[in-house]
């Protein structure tokens, strides 16, 4: 499509089609993005083994629509997007490998579609490299096939911001199908983010809202409508649930803040650095920092992003780089400065948006220098990227091994519970009750803490009807009401099983007194 945006964003000096959009996108560009997405999918299936069991948060999301276990307690910060995303598998199958394969394929398709949105804004080689940079991070490969929301917030961010740029700069024409598709993409991307994590969606689109408020344009009403409609559509269920189950939206936000340790000024940059070594959750975040080789890319990332912005200014496509940089910054702010713990997956949306200007900087480094310097620049960039890739996959291997071992421990504990007679329908409480309950096929209950959803009296009443067990660390103590229950040690866990419920009297039995 020939329009004025191509002149502004790509840097042409005369009206007409941009060289970025033509045959390269109908052929080479599409193939390059498809190859990146396919390689990403293959990496997930190969390196994050489909047999890796479900993690703690995954069991909560999956259990909401599951053929295997009752729904776990759904705390205030969570949204139901992941549960609905996995429902086509979990509603009829309990196979974790099948779920992993499904999510790996879906995440590869999502990456392809999200990168394709940016066609015409950047050359095909920049977008292909951006996809490869984002998809090669250990945290991206690790969480792509998992039932977790952060990767999908990243995909929604790429779609929303890319379509926003296309719609804002395209020629205003109500009959232009491409324009309507870009507006639809803005709403779709915003809805996907809000569907997965409503608060993350708001932080990510703040620069877009600010731009629409501060900068006039004929497209402003349509863009604002699409963006707000997407946010409302994605977060609507979460807001309704707040009034149904949490005494209102303000109370749900307050509960969510409390569960996250109380949101407020708290520099978590060091916590995020510690999590780069492969820690899925760093709470409390103590211990030594990972090696310099593991952290180096994190410090180089903003420098390359700044170079990408300088390249964009010279190429006369400043907006196409500045807007994703601004959205990446606001997406990262709450996880760098407002919470007291870290998880590497929290920054996936920021990494996805930063990948495009960073890729632009790399392409500039290997193409702009004169003939004498070009071979050296190409060799240096290739060496840096190869070293980066080696470090990323070394961290990934350790993370997968450690996570798989933990999940297998939960599965073995579930097997021991079955041996002790705790079989569905049943109830577990105590230490790590939520994930182990899922593996056992039981409900879970807690009388205190962030996942409190029961009372002592309620648990004791349940024990009179179905098998109930309280879990505690081997050297710890169970809840007070379970201390007299028969105790069984299994590895690092002590299992306290409630006395078997008394059988109901047969019809016609019973004394006259």
């Amino acid at each position: 499509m020939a329009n004025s945006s191509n002149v502004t964003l790509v840097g042409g000096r005369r009206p007409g089609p941009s060289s970025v959009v033509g045959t390269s996108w109908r052929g080479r560009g599409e193939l390059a993005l498809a190859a990146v997405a396919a390689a990403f999918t293959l990496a997930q299936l190969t390196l994050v083994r489909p047999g890796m069991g479900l993690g703690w948060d995954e069991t909560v999301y999956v259990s909401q629509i599951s053929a295997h276990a009752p729904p776990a307690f759904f705390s205030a910060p969570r949204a139901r997007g992941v549960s609905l995303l996995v429902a086509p598998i979990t509603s009829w199958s309990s196979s974790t490998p099948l779920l992993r394969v499904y999510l790996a394929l879906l995440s590869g398709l999502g990456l392809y579609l999200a990168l394709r949105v940016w066609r015409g804004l950047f050359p095909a080689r920049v977008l292909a490299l951006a996809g490869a940079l984002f998809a090669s991070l250990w945290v991206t490969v690790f969480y792509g096939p998992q039932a977790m929301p952060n990767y999908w917030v990243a995909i929604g961010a790429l779609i929303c911001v890319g379509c926003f740029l296309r719609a804002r700069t395209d020629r205003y024409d109500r009959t232009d199908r491409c324009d309507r598709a870009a507006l639809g993409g803005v709403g779709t991307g915003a809805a996907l983010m809000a569907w997965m994590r409503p608060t993350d969606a708001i932080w990510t689109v703040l620069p877009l809202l600010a731009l629409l408020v501060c900068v006039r344009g004929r497209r402003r009403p349509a863009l604002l409508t699409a963006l707000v409609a997407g946010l409302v559509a994605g977060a609507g269920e979460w807001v309704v649930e707040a009034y149904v189950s949490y005494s209102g939206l303000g109370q749900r936000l307050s509960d969510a803040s409390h569960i996250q340790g109380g949101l407020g000024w708290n520099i978590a940059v060091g916590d995020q650095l510690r999590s780069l070594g492969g820690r899925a959750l760093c709470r409390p975040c103590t211990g030594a920092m990972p090696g310099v080789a593991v952290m180096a890319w994190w410090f180089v990332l903003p420098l390359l992003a700044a170079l990408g912005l300088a390249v964009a200014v010279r190429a006369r496509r400043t907006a196409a780089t500045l807007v994703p940089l601004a959205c990446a910054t606001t997406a990262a702010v709450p996880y760098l400065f407002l919470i007291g713990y870290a998880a590497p997956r929290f920054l996936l949306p920021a990494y996805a948006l930063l990948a495009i200007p960073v890729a632009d900087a790399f392409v500039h480094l290997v193409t702009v220098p004169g003939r004498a310097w070009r071979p050296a620049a190409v060799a240096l960039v290739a060496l840096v990227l190869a070293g980066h890739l080696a470090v990323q996959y070394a961290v990934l291997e350790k993370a997968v091994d450690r996570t798989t071992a933990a999940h297998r421990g939960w599965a073995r504990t579930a097997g021991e519970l079955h041996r002790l007679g705790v079989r569905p329908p049943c109830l577990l409480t105590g230490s790590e009750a939520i994930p182990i309950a899922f593996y056992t096929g039981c409900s879970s209950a807690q009388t205190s803490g962030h996942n409190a959803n029961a009372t002592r009296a309620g648990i004791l009443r349940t024990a009179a009807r179905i098998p109930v067990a309280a879990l505690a660390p081997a050297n710890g103590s169970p809840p007070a009401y379970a201390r007299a229950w028969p105790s069984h040690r299994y590895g690092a866990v002590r299992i306290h099983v409630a006395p078997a419920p008394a059988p109901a009297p047969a019809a016609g039995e019973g004394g006259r007194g």
Side-chain angles (χ1 to χ4, degrees):
M1 181 177 66
N3 56 47
S4 60
S5 70
N6 292 329
V7 177
T8 302
L9 294 174
V10 181
R13 298 187 178 275
R14 60 182 179 83
S18 166
S19 60
V20 171
V21 186
T23 57
S24 65
W25 269 113
R26 288 195 293 269
R28 184 180 60 189
E30 298 283 1
L31 276 176
L33 297 190
V36 168
F40 175 51
T41 301
L42 184 61
Q44 294 174 70
L45 295 175
T46 304
L47 302 173
V48 186
R49 297 177 285 275
M52 185 178 74
L54 296 177
W56 186 312
D57 292 295
E58 287 186 291
T59 63
V60 175
Y61 290 119
V62 169
S63 70
Q64 304 306 306
I65 306 177
S66 174
H68 175 69
F73 176 71
F74 208 74
S75 61
R78 302 186 189 276
R80 299 192 180 270
V82 173
S83 300
L84 296 175
L85 183 74
V86 300
I89 301 298
T90 62
S91 59
W92 60 272
S93 174
S94 61
S95 171
T96 300
L98 178 62
L99 179 62
R100 293 278 186 238
V101 171
Y102 163 75
L103 288 172
L105 293 171
L106 201 60
S107 60
L109 176 62
L111 180 63
Y112 169 75
L113 294 176
L115 291 172
R116 195 174 183 275
V117 159
W118 292 77
R119 65 192 188 278
L121 300 175
F122 287 90
R125 59 189 175 185
V126 170
L127 296 182
L129 180 57
L133 290 173
F134 176 61
S136 63
L137 293 175
W138 77 262
V139 64
T140 310
V141 180
F142 187 67
Y143 283 104
Q146 293 197 44
M148 296 291 279
N150 311 87
Y151 174 81
W152 296 102
V153 176
I155 294 300
L158 282 173
I159 293 172
C160 181
V161 175
C163 286
F164 179 91
L165 289 167
R166 294 178 66 84
R168 183 175 176 270
T169 54
D170 275 349
R171 182 179 56 200
Y172 190 84
D173 182 356
R174 293 183 182 274
T175 65
D176 191 330
R177 294 175 59 190
C178 183
D179 290 348
R180 293 200 302 269
L183 286 172
V186 172
T188 300
L192 179 58
M193 287 190 288
W195 194 38
M196 295 293 167
R197 289 186 71 90
T199 51
D200 282 14
I202 297 298
W203 279 101
T204 303
V205 303
L206 279 178
L208 306 185
L209 292 171
L211 191 61
L212 290 174
V213 169
C214 299
V215 180
R216 295 185 178 274
R218 298 182 67 186
R219 278 295 174 98
R220 184 167 66 170
L223 272 169
L224 187 60
T225 300
L227 188 58
V228 172
L231 293 173
V232 171
E237 186 278 334
W238 196 83
V239 173
V240 170
E241 187 179 51
Y243 287 95
V244 172
S245 304
Y246 297 91
S247 303
L249 181 59
Q251 186 61 50
R252 184 168 195 175
L253 290 171
S254 176
D255 290 349
S257 174
H258 176 68
I259 288 171
Q260 293 173 314
L263 297 182
W265 181 251
N266 190 12
I267 299 177
V269 175
D271 295 344
Q272 285 292 343
L273 284 171
R274 286 183 176 89
S275 74
L276 293 177
R279 300 173 65 174
L281 181 64
C282 198
R283 185 180 191 181
C285 206
T286 57
M289 290 284 185
V292 174
V294 173
M295 298 189 297
W297 70 274
W298 213 71
F299 292 100
V300 173
L301 193 63
L303 300 178
L304 288 171
L307 176 59
L309 179 59
V311 170
V313 171
R314 292 188 61 185
R316 298 178 59 192
R317 43 180 162 81
T318 306
T321 296
L322 187 59
V323 171
L325 283 177
C327 291
T329 300
T330 56
V333 162
Y335 297 116
L336 293 177
F337 303 109
L338 298 180
I339 64 173
Y341 65 99
R345 58 187 171 87
F346 291 162
L347 296 180
L348 276 172
Y351 296 152
L353 291 168
L354 287 173
I356 293 176
V358 168
D360 204 16
F362 272 125
V363 170
H364 172 78
L365 289 174
V366 300
T367 57
V368 169
R371 292 179 180 272
W373 290 99
R374 186 171 299 172
V378 171
L380 179 61
V381 169
L383 183 63
V384 168
L385 292 178
H388 171 69
L389 194 64
V391 170
Q392 292 297 306
Y393 285 103
V395 174
L396 176 64
E397 182 180 15
K398 292 179 181 178
V400 170
D401 289 344
R402 182 168 54 249
T403 303
T404 302
H407 296 175
R408 286 176 179 169
W410 291 339
R412 286 192 294 268
T413 302
E416 179 66 9
L417 284 162
H418 287 162
R419 190 188 69 80
L420 294 172
V422 183
R423 297 176 177 275
C426 49
L427 177 71
L428 296 186
T429 186
S431 176
E432 298 189 324
I434 288 179
I436 295 175
F438 180 86
Y439 280 79
T440 313
C442 300
S443 299
S444 59
Q446 300 289 357
T447 59
S448 62
H450 299 322
N451 296 303
N453 63 339
T455 63
R456 174 182 183 275
I459 292 175
L460 291 176
R461 284 195 300 270
T462 302
R465 296 184 290 104
I466 61 175
V468 173
L471 307 175
N475 298 321
S477 300
Y481 58 81
R483 288 173 186 168
W485 294 355
S487 175
H488 311 267
R489 178 165 180 169
Y490 183 75
V493 180
R494 188 168 291 280
I495 302 170
H496 299 261
V497 181
E509 291 185 0
R512 292 179 179 272

